Amino acid sequence: MFSENKKGKQNENSSIQNLIAKGTKIVGTFSSEGDIRVDGVIEGDVITPGKVVVGKTGEIHGSLESSNAHFEGKFTGKLKLTGTLTLKASAHIEGEVITEKLAVEPGATFNVTCVMKSTVKDIKGEQKTKKTA
């Protein structure tokens, strides 16, 4: 009745959401197993297998590693994603970006060196990573 299985634990981690509220500043490494929303400021490294959303008042200065990221605010540093980077018109991104997919609204600032990587399935159905420069 009270036993936990691994599948239940995975579902629990995927529903975790962290909020860095406006007026909050974090300095150092921030890691989480769940999604993160940033409306404050993070100076340092952000690491999560989940999604990161940076609101209009949000800023990250440092590095970010996640699956997907959605920016309305600012980012300066190294951004490494395994999925999609989405930039709204108010986004301001500077630095280095490695991502699989990129979606940019008109008006966004995107001053970066960018590497696009995509996963391609071969005939046998196995996934291979293809690097595009």
Side-chain angles (χ1 to χ4, degrees), residues 110-129:
F110 191 61
N111 296 324
V112 301
T113 57
C114 185
V115 176
M116 302 286 291
K117 293 184 177 183
S118 63
T119 303
V120 179
K121 288 187 178 181
D122 66 7
I123 296 173
K124 294 178 185 175
E126 296 174 4
Q127 290 187 346
K128 293 185 177 182
T129 302

Side-chain angles (χ1 to χ4, degrees), residues 53-120:
V53 176
V54 179
K56 285 186 180 183
T57 60
E59 296 182 27
I60 297 176
H61 305 280
S63 69
L64 169 62
E65 289 185 36
S66 70
S67 58
N68 298 303
H70 180 97
F71 279 90
E72 293 181 51
K74 297 179 181 180
F75 177 85
T76 305
K78 185 172 182 176
L79 181 62
K80 186 175 181 182
L81 305 175
T82 57
T84 303
L85 172 60
T86 304
L87 304 179
K88 293 297 188 179
S90 59
H92 185 96
I93 310 297
E94 292 187 7
E96 197 177 327
V97 173
I98 299 170
T99 187
E100 186 175 308
K101 297 176 187 172
L102 178 63
V104 183
E105 280 188 1
T109 302
F110 191 61
N111 296 324
V112 301
T113 57
C114 185
V115 176
M116 302 286 291
K117 293 184 177 183
S118 63
T119 303
V120 179

Side-chain angles (χ1 to χ4, degrees), residues 9-49:
K9 211 169 197 178
Q10 286 176 335
N11 290 340
E12 182 181 306
N13 285 342
S14 66
S15 66
I16 296 172
Q17 290 191 317
N18 296 284
L19 173 63
I20 310 304
K22 183 178 178 180
T24 302
K25 181 177 182 179
I26 294 177
V27 178
T29 301
F30 184 84
S31 66
S32 172
E33 292 297 317
D35 296 343
I36 302 169
R37 178 170 177 98
V38 179
D39 289 314
V41 178
I42 298 178
E43 292 180 0
D45 303 330
V46 179
I47 304 163
T48 180

